[in-house]
Amino acid sequence: MQEKQLIVITKPKEEVETVTVKAFIVGFLLVIGITVAGCYSAFLRYDLIGTGHLPRCALFPIILFALVNPIWRSFFVKPLFNRNELLFIYCIVLIMTGIPGQQFSNYLYLGLVAPVYFSSPKNMPALLQYEGLNWLQYIPDWSVPSKDPRSGVITWVFEGLPDGAKIPWQPWVVPLALWTLFYLALFTSHILIASLLRKQWVEHEKLSFPLAQIPIEVADEKRLKVLGRNLLFWFGFIIPVFVYTFRALHIYFPYFPNINIYPNWGAIFQGRPFDVLNYTPFNIYFDMIGVTYLIPSDVGFSFWFFAFVFRRVQMVIRSAMGLSDHQLPLEMQTIGGLFALFAMQMWVARYYLHYVFFQGWLGIKSDQSREPLPYRQILILLSLCLLFLIFWTTSFKVAFHWSVALFAIHYIWRIMTARMVSEAGLFVFWTPSPVNFLLRFFGRDLVGAPSISGLTMVQSKFSDSATCLMPQALQAFKIAQSEGLHQGQVFKLVMASTVLSMLICHPTSIKILYTTTVPKMGWWTRSYPQGLANDFLTRMAQDLKMNTGNYLSLLAGAIATVFLGWMRWQFFWWPFHPLGFAAANAVSWFGDRYGFSMLLGWLAKVLVMWFGGIRLWHFFRPFMIGMIVGNTFVLFILLIIHFFFPTNEVVVIE
């Protein structure tokens, strides 16, 4: 009862900052520029300038404007942009950074031609061994520019425009218009769910939102001056700048010495069970080290322990038992953990959710300066978006219950992704494929070929979780709440930014497809169409249903997560956070890529707190912020250089 009473207290209105015309214009000019440049980078170089939840293309302009401000002030008395204007610009750009990359442009356009092109045995000889296998029959005519694998609109994407031929714009008009409605409903639903979660996570649970702290520090001129006078900040800044500059020089000039920040200890074990530990990586990601220093110690410890250590302990035990298939059972643990974690989060938020639905039912309007939208509007719009998405999916001959299942899993995992970012500050986080999970859990025959084809076609358009909009929207609302920006305006700005970026992607990406062709694109872009076709083939031709042991792994993951959560609520000293366990095995490379850096960040914080307490932690905080800012600064510069001077090697890894 006490928790319920706390929720309904009406707070007095506070003055809030509104967006200026200058911030509006600059923000949306950046959206246009980043969208065009991002599409070219994603397709031609596979440089995802907006990847992750502290996107470099959003933070870099804020850093640049903050550096220009003192110079501008010396000539014109006032700074070019004040703190609030910079934060509004950041929110406008933040929400759309993934759209000109995998979140939208790569998956949409390539995903509309690949299923058609590779439906022909000429282009995919593996089809010859499966008589009657044809996913194209289940794909509606209106959803693709052509269903003829031999038509120019399809083949020219892969084989190039013939001499004198023009880009076939017209066949794309209808499918892109309809898919834009699909994405509009999908992205709007993400932002609406973020609007619902905002108050619970920001005001009630008071999550730290570590990634949102960085633009706030950079945008505030007073804080930035304090950081600029701190030598520790510059020491932290120069480390990633120095290291990545050396690495880039080595890539462009091989005789230049290299600095290896992705070492491993090689093959030091010759046989079972410890051979699974061979080539254990010790990757160094400066931004992840810095962020881990900023988050609560139990969260940082749990992430590196479960992803980097506990995962390998399980692999050794399984290898000793004669088992070799490690990833699927571990992935099932994570899936069980994500489901359990979602249930626990909803239980914690039960009074708040009851309050939201009560307010929405009665139509009580909340203060627009404190909430993105009135609860009734959020619930109505969200319901319309969900219904549209479900019935859209059924138009691909997907059974209604499988359509509901697809989006239920999608939203559960996106909410958990948002939780990972909001509480643990993960730069990126991946979730397993919902379609693969359904096929493994229920089997191919129960789902059926039409539903498998439709689920693959629809889910392939939003399969990337490293740049999903929900965490970005929550960060924008957190920044607005902590810095006094108008929540309603932030909501409208992020919606407008999302729509504008999608619309600009259309002509930009279509032009790239026909003037470059897939074989000449970046390494990942070249492989994605064939990979999507392989998904169609594998899911329809093979029964992926799991064995009993994997069902037990799923259950064990859920039970372990509930146990970890219960222990954390019961005992203050309990060091294991359920978030770390639930994230550990979502994809095989997550712990390998970031686990060691999390260990370094956690270890730095523990030692600092041990020897000097919170005062010493604050003393070294500028050093960690310097590493994060320096990492963003140098990598964005290198992305620009790599775009104009491409190489055969990857300059920047997420």
Side-chain angles (χ1 to χ4, degrees):
M1 291 298 295
Q2 186 176 5
E3 188 174 356
K4 193 183 297 186
Q5 291 172 356
L6 287 173
I7 291 174
V8 297
I9 289 176
T10 302
K11 295 184 179 181
K13 290 186 178 181
E14 301 173 0
E15 292 186 5
V16 293
E17 299 291 338
T18 56
V19 66
T20 63
V21 174
K22 179 170 58 175
F24 179 90
I25 293 174
V26 171
F28 283 97
L29 286 176
L30 284 172
V31 169
I32 296 171
I34 290 170
T35 300
V36 174
C39 287
Y40 276 95
S41 292
F43 280 108
L44 304 186
R45 307 284 180 262
Y46 193 58
D47 286 337
L48 304 177
I49 65 175
T51 192
H53 304 294
L54 185 65
R56 296 170 190 121
C57 63
L59 186 58
F60 185 84
I62 305 305
I63 297 173
L64 194 62
F65 291 144
L67 294 175
V68 170
N69 266 343
I71 302 172
W72 189 272
R73 183 192 293 275
S74 65
F75 288 99
F76 301 101
V77 182
K78 293 183 179 181
L80 179 61
F81 296 101
N82 61 37
R83 181 204 64 168
N84 297 322
E85 288 174 328
L86 290 179
L87 291 176
F88 269 119
I89 292 171
Y90 181 79
C91 292
I92 291 170
V93 176
L94 171 67
I95 194 69
M96 53 66 58
T97 52
I99 291 176
Q102 287 178 334
Q103 184 69 12
F104 181 83
S105 62
N106 280 181
Y107 287 141
L108 173 59
Y109 309 104
L110 292 173
L112 294 185
V113 295
V116 180
Y117 185 77
F118 290 104
S119 65
S120 168
K122 174 188 173 184
N123 302 320
M124 193 170 185
L127 284 170
L128 294 172
Q129 59 184 306
Y130 300 102
E131 185 178 352
L133 181 63
N134 179 18
W135 56 77
L136 202 57
Q137 62 183 312
Y138 306 118
I139 297 177
D141 295 346
W142 51 262
S143 66
V144 291
S146 172
K147 290 184 71 175
D148 182 2
R150 298 166 297 179
S151 66
V153 68
I154 301 296
T155 59
W156 295 346
V157 173
F158 296 89
E159 301 169 15
L161 280 171
D163 292 338
K166 296 182 179 180
I167 296 175
W169 295 100
Q170 186 176 1
W172 286 91
V173 173
V174 172
L176 286 186
L178 296 174
W179 278 105
T180 300
L181 295 177
F182 170 83
Y183 274 104
L184 180 61
L186 181 72
F187 291 158
T188 301
S189 68
H190 285 184
I191 298 171
L192 290 169
I193 292 174
S195 303
L196 284 179
L197 294 174
R198 184 207 68 82
K199 191 167 188 176
Q200 173 67 22
W201 289 7
V202 173
E203 298 182 24
H204 298 163
E205 298 185 44
K206 299 187 184 302
L207 300 186
S208 58
F209 286 84
L211 300 184
Q213 297 176 29
I214 308 305
I216 290 174
E217 290 280 347
V218 173
D220 192 302
E221 191 172 352
K222 292 181 180 178
R223 296 182 188 179
L224 193 60
K225 282 183 179 179
V226 172
L227 285 174
R229 296 191 186 109
N230 193 314
L231 286 178
L232 283 175
F233 171 82
W234 291 110
F235 284 142
F237 184 93
I238 202 66
I239 289 174
V241 171
F242 177 82
V243 170
Y244 277 110
T245 300
F246 259 69
R247 286 182 55 79
L249 288 172
H250 174 74
I251 290 173
Y252 284 104
F253 310 102
Y255 55 82
F256 206 86
N258 188 24
I259 299 177
N260 184 16
I261 57 175
Y262 309 118
N264 63 75
W265 64 21
I268 62 177
F269 300 104
Q270 300 305 314
R272 285 191 172 189
F274 295 104
D275 58 334
V276 296
L277 301 180
N278 287 337
Y279 303 104
T280 295
F282 300 96
N283 297 341
I284 297 175
Y285 289 88
F286 299 104
D287 46 1
M288 195 62 79
I289 295 172
V291 169
T292 307
Y293 183 85
L294 301 177
I295 64 179
S297 297
D298 63 332
V299 179
F301 168 75
S302 298
F303 270 91
W304 73 258
F305 176 79
F306 286 115
F308 193 63
V309 177
F310 186 65
R311 174 172 171 265
R312 286 180 166 78
V313 170
Q314 291 190 80
M315 291 169 64
V316 169
I317 294 173
R318 290 179 56 82
S319 183
M321 297 169 61
L323 302 173
S324 58
D325 178 19
H326 304 304
Q327 180 52 31
L328 183 56
L330 295 177
E331 183 181 306
M332 288 301 113
Q333 283 186 17
T334 281
I335 292 175
L338 291 174
F339 284 142
L341 198 59
F342 174 79
M344 289 192 294
Q345 292 299 324
M346 294 304 100
W347 175 257
V348 170
R350 63 193 184 280
Y351 294 126
Y352 168 71
L353 294 175
H354 177 268
Y355 166 74
V356 166
F357 284 99
F358 178 75
Q359 293 281 90
W361 180 263
L362 295 180
I364 299 174
K365 292 186 177 181
S366 55
D367 180 7
Q368 273 287 277
S369 66
R370 298 188 57 82
E371 295 295 340
L373 280 180
Y375 292 135
R376 170 172 279 190
Q377 291 184 25
I378 293 176
L379 294 174
I380 291 174
L381 289 173
L382 182 58
S383 299
L384 293 174
C385 289
L386 296 179
L387 289 173
F388 179 85
L389 292 170
I390 290 170
F391 284 104
W392 169 279
T393 307
T394 60
S395 68
F396 285 79
K397 301 184 180 179
V398 177
F400 178 79
H401 55 285
W402 297 125
S403 178
V404 172
L406 171 66
F407 285 102
I409 297 171
H410 169 75
Y411 285 110
I412 289 172
W413 289 352
R414 286 299 183 267
I415 290 172
M416 289 301 96
T417 299
R419 185 75 183 196
M420 302 289 178
V421 176
S422 302
E423 188 167 0
L426 292 188
F427 177 73
V428 286
F429 178 68
W430 294 270
T431 52
S433 165
V435 178
N436 282 346
F437 171 71
L438 289 173
L439 292 174
R440 288 167 178 165
F441 194 91
F442 295 103
R444 177 193 60 183
D445 295 337
L446 185 60
V447 178
S451 290
I452 292 174
S453 174
L455 289 172
T456 301
M457 185 68 177
V458 174
Q459 196 264 328
S460 67
K461 303 301 177 290
F462 54 86
S463 57
D464 184 61
S465 53
T467 53
C468 60
L469 270 64
M470 199 180 298
Q472 321 294 57
L474 272 161
Q475 288 189 78
F477 295 143
K478 165 62 179 178
I479 291 171
Q481 185 270 342
S482 62
E483 301 304 307
L485 308 185
H486 195 289
Q487 293 279 1
Q489 284 193 350
V490 170
F491 178 87
K492 294 174 183 177
L493 290 171
V494 298
M495 283 296 305
S497 174
T498 301
V499 173
L500 178 61
S501 183
M502 285 194 295
L503 295 178
I504 294 172
C505 274
H506 289 333
T508 307
S509 298
I510 298 301
K511 181 179 179 181
I512 294 171
L513 287 182
Y514 289 102
T515 56
T516 305
T517 73
V518 170
K520 297 180 182 178
M521 293 182 181
W523 67 270
W524 184 91
T525 319
R526 292 195 302 268
S527 62
Y528 173 70
Q530 180 73 66
L532 177 57
N534 289 337
D535 284 341
F536 277 98
L537 180 63
T538 302
R539 292 168 181 173
M540 296 183 71
Q542 302 176 19
D543 192 353
L544 304 177
K545 192 171 184 180
M546 305 182 299
N547 57 37
T548 304
N550 290 321
Y551 289 100
L552 295 177
S553 295
L554 184 71
L555 180 61
I559 294 173
T561 302
V562 172
F563 172 75
L564 293 174
W566 181 83
M567 290 293 290
R568 186 170 182 270
W569 291 331
Q570 294 296 317
F571 303 103
F572 179 77
W573 51 265
W574 183 251
F576 301 107
H577 197 293
L579 274 180
F581 178 81
N585 303 297
V587 290
S588 59
W589 62 85
F590 172 73
D592 291 344
R593 184 175 289 183
Y594 300 111
F596 184 67
S597 294
M598 292 179 180
L599 168 60
L600 294 178
W602 172 83
L603 189 61
K605 181 174 184 177
V606 167
L607 291 176
V608 165
M609 294 293 290
W610 178 271
F611 287 106
I614 193 67
R615 292 184 64 182
L616 194 60
W617 179 85
H618 278 288
F619 179 79
F620 281 105
R621 185 173 179 269
F623 175 82
M624 296 298 178
I625 293 178
M627 277 210 302
I628 298 170
V629 173
N631 194 84
T632 296
F633 182 84
V634 67
L635 290 187
F636 194 82
I637 295 293
L638 291 178
L639 286 171
I640 296 173
I641 294 173
H642 187 239
F643 179 81
F644 290 103
F645 303 98
T647 68
N648 292 326
E649 296 187 48
V650 177
V651 177
V652 178
I653 300 177
E654 292 103 332

